[in-house]
DNA sequence: CTTTTGGATGATAGCGATAACATACGCAGG
DNA sequence: CCTGCGTATGTTATCGCTATCATCCAAAAG
């Protein structure tokens, strides 16, 4: 930290300081700092030098108060420690590249109350748009979003009553497709491993899809282990599969709410000397890196996490820019596909 | 988005709107919104009601211009898609809870140039402090940090010339400890798997520690595979171990720059029918969830990622608050320990 | 030589909040 | 009944920047 000779903190220089030093007005400095405005080359250079000498950094919060553009968008994800969501965040960042918009990221730990707090905290900073994960919010959170006057994008889900725009897919249908694919290979006795339903909406929908598909196929759908508070960990997946094998020893295939719990289950089976997929088959959800790399490689459902982020950010920037031009489609449905590998 | 009858966007209400509706001055509204200021109960309630009716949300960017406190701290990490760093981010968030400070998170993808961009982008928003990963920055990035007039905390490393404060550990020493521990178990022919040196400073230091420890022990230290651009993935770890076994088939133990590459190597060995640790032992670095859960469970080095974040944030808030009181220690050294498991 | 045009720059007035000071009022103590 | 003080509220002046309009001037056009 730079200090004055008297030991007190030096006040950072302002635009006027730069202007004075360069012998121009503050307005000209402001222009010089902005792309595509008319400032003569000589002036521009004098200003650049003054900025350099003073170590000046533009105060964007002051600027945005004046221009009424804060230059950032907010995104709220359940967890950053989950590569599915961090891939989405990466997609957002990449799509924002070059738009002059910056990402303000927050995470909820899968709590809607924490989400409400975050929504408020973010809205206080006046983002130009906001991207959410899922369509479940507290009533107050929802109301704040509706009244914020900015584009709102819900992702990773297909809410029955979208607030504004949506980029997502049906988690239930994706799980149904996985069940059908595996049933097509001859599996009949399916088990499901997931967390308790309360917090993780996407998890609940996957489980509902599991049950729906089996009922449609006329197969038993009661082998469901709900274990632990979502998101369930690798270790919890390991414990759950033990639990499942105790209750229903003849289970042929265990579907898991995510690749992480599936991986835990897979390792636990190996530890107990079970052959996967011969003794028991295992499939996950999400197509994490680990699913492609573990041994045996894991069957899973790929959902275009990165693409969800990209498209959400794209829709956002389109909505912001095209204030009057034709707005983008309100709902984008992203794809998913079953990746069959060695574990089934 | 709320729109007026004429179809244009409704301007969000300001504090004056609230004040008018509640029959008080804007200043009183400002006070009512702030803890511990004297506003009568009746007035407070009238204001709360007006806020509710209008759906008002405080504009913090305007407030911070006036109060000269933006209420957030910036943190820059290499990747959010890496649980070590996201654990650090979680530690920061948790330690910031209740301080009125919010976290603005950015990630560099392990690029110092991207770091420089981020530093500038963040500084433009006038954070009250900034937390960085590592001690390698571009000269310009470093200069901006020095001149910013805010506390700077470098983490995950022990820079030779710290900018300001440090919360970290020596990656080299940690790797030395791992080598010594394994040498103590009788291993003699060590291999190392890591990325090319250019980008990942911490990775380079771990490799240097590997070499140092072996030289000190009088063991060969040339079995080093540098493969791929950091951060190296599970898949790259798998490829690297194949490469290593081709070049030095009698390698007894492979140390990897992180648990992720170690896991890839472990799975690849199993795929090739090698017994771990009998045919080859494998150890990682970082103590990720996967290391505790894979089969066989992986020996690794635990570094207190979460604690690094917590302590960095703590040091930051102490520095901010105790402007004149005694400032915190400039350097905090966090611990690490070898976790011996089944893979060695 | 006048007019037009547009680039370069400056002056002024906010953006929406809060700091700092000012005012009004009620109640305890003399 | 006055002084003194603390609570409750209002007024004013910025915070650092940019939108907007005004001005000046040189070069192109007529």
């Amino acid at each position: 930290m730079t200090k004055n000779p008297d030991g007190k903190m030096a006040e950072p220089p302002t635009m006027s300081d730069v202007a004075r030093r360069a012998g121009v007005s503050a307005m000209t400095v402001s222009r010089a700092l902005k792309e595509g405005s008319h400032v003569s080359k000589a002036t521009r250079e004098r200003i650049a030098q003054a900025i350099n000498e003073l170590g000046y950094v533009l105060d964007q919060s002051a600027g945005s108060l004046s221009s009424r553009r804060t230059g950032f968008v907010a995104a709220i994800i359940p967890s950053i420690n989950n590569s599915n969501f961090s891939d989405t965040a990466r997609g957002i960042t990449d799509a924002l590249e070059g738009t002059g918009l910056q990402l303000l990221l927050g995470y909820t730990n899968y709590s809607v109350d924490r989400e409400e707090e975050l929504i408020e905290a973010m809205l206080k900073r006046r983002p130009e748009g906001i991207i959410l994960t899922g369509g479940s919010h507290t009533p107050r959170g929802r109301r704040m979003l509706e009244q914020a006057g900015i584009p709102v994008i819900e992702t990773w889900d297909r809410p029955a009553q979208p607030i504004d725009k949506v980029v997502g897919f049906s988690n239930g249908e994706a799980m149904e497709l996985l069940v059908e694919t595996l049933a097509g290979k001859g599996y009949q006795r399916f088990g499901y491993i997931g967390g308790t339903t309360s917090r993780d909406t996407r998890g609940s929908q996957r489980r509902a899809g599991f049950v729906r598909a089996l009922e449609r196929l006329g197969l038993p759908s009661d082998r469901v282990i709900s274990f632990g508070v979502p998101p369930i960990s690798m270790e919890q997946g390991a414990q759950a599969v033990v639990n499942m094998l105790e209750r229903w020893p003849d289970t042929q295939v265990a579907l898991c709410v995510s690749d992480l719990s599936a991986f835990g289950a897979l390792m636990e089976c190996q530890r107990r000397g079970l052959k996967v997929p011969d003794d028991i088959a295992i499939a996950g959800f999400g197509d994490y890196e680990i699913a492609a790399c573990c041994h045996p490689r894991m069957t899973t459902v790929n959902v275009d996490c990165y693409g969800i982020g990209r498209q959400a950010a794209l829709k956002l920037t389109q909505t912001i820019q095209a204030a009057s031009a034709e707005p983008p489609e309100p709902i984008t449905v992203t794809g998913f596909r079953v990746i069959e590998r060695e574990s089934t």
Side-chain angles (χ1 to χ4, degrees), chain A:
Chain A
M1 294 194 280
T2 315
K3 301 196 182 186
N4 278 338
D6 60 8
K8 284 199 306 187
M9 295 304 306
E11 286 297 311
T14 71
M15 195 173 265
S16 304
D17 297 329
V18 174
R20 201 170 312 119
R21 190 171 194 111
V24 295
S25 72
M27 196 58 233
T28 303
V29 176
S30 175
R31 287 195 186 99
L33 254 26
K34 204 153 134 184
E35 306 275 309
S37 35
H38 306 285
V39 177
S40 75
K41 190 148 181 242
T43 309
R44 206 177 275 275
E45 273 163 12
R46 276 214 316 289
I47 290 173
Q49 194 188 338
I51 286 176
N52 226 317
E53 289 166 4
L54 292 171
Y56 172 72
V57 176
L58 179 69
D59 185 336
Q60 203 163 146
S61 66
S64 55
L65 180 59
S66 177
S67 65
R68 305 162 91 30
R69 291 211 51 193
T70 54
F72 73 84
V73 305
I76 299 180
I77 59 180
S79 161
I80 54 171
N81 189 351
N82 176 307
S83 65
N84 272 192
F85 298 125
S86 56
D87 279 348
T88 298
R90 216 162 33 80
I92 297 172
T93 313
D94 288 356
L96 252 30
E97 184 80 40
T99 61
L101 289 165
Q102 205 190 338
L103 176 63
L104 179 58
L105 193 65
Y107 54 97
T108 64
N109 281 322
Y110 294 86
S111 151
V112 284
D113 292 326
R114 177 75 189 130
E115 190 200 48
E116 181 185 304
E117 287 175 26
L118 268 176
I119 289 171
E120 183 167 18
M122 303 226 150
L123 255 26
K124 281 185 180 173
R125 301 192 184 277
R126 297 284 188 270
E128 300 187 28
I130 185 165
I131 298 175
L132 304 161
T133 308
S136 301
H137 321 289
T138 63
R140 179 157 169 272
R142 195 185 167 90
R143 199 154 45 82
M144 285 192 292
L145 291 167
E146 286 167 348
Q147 298 184 341
I150 55 174
V152 175
I153 312 226
E154 291 167 289
T155 63
W156 268 94
D157 210 342
R158 298 196 51 185
Q161 300 186 348
I163 296 176
D164 182 8
K165 303 203 169 54
V166 173
V167 177
F169 64 97
S170 163
N171 284 267
E173 285 174 20
M175 186 55 88
E176 286 180 61
L177 179 63
L178 178 60
V179 172
E180 282 161 8
T181 306
L182 294 174
K185 293 186 70 171
Y187 290 107
Q188 301 206 324
R189 294 186 297 280
F190 286 76
Y192 183 84
I193 289 173
T196 52
T197 40
S198 50
R199 289 152 59 107
D200 182 6
T201 336
R202 285 162 298 288
S204 315
Q205 289 167 357
R206 285 171 205 165
R207 176 159 70 181
F210 171 83
V211 172
R212 261 201 315 275
L214 289 176
E215 283 174 351
R216 197 165 52 229
L217 292 163
L219 296 171
S221 60
D222 59 323
R223 299 180 176 201
V224 172
I225 302 278
S226 293
F227 179 78
V229 177
I232 76 170
S233 63
M234 293 179 181
E235 187 55 37
Q236 287 171 316
Q239 294 177 31
V241 79
V242 171
N243 193 324
M244 170 173 285
L245 290 170
E246 278 169 8
R247 288 176 68 181
W248 302 290
D250 64 343
T251 300
Q252 293 174 314
V253 55
L255 305 196
C256 303
V257 67
S258 89
D259 283 350
L260 305 179
S261 43
F263 174 76
L266 172 62
M267 291 296 118
E268 186 60 28
C269 288
Q270 293 186 347
R271 220 167 262 130
R272 294 176 172 249
L274 294 173
K275 295 267 180 239
V276 175
D278 300 335
D279 296 329
I280 183 168
I282 296 176
F285 194 107
D287 197 18
Y288 292 66
E289 181 184 12
I290 200 174
C293 194
C294 61
H295 175 67
R297 303 190 198 273
M298 182 112 60
T299 293
T300 187
V301 180
N302 174 288
V303 297
D304 183 14
C305 315
Y306 180 83
I308 289 174
R310 262 193 77 80
Q311 296 197 48
L314 227 53
K315 205 185 281 285
L316 205 52
T317 50
Q318 281 169 11
T319 312
I320 292 172
Q321 285 160 7
S324 55
E326 66 185 293
E329 284 297 309
I331 295 184
T332 299
V333 178
T334 61
F336 50 79
R337 63 184 202 280
V338 172
I339 313 276
E340 289 190 72
R341 296 204 183 98
E342 307 153 4
S343 72
T344 57

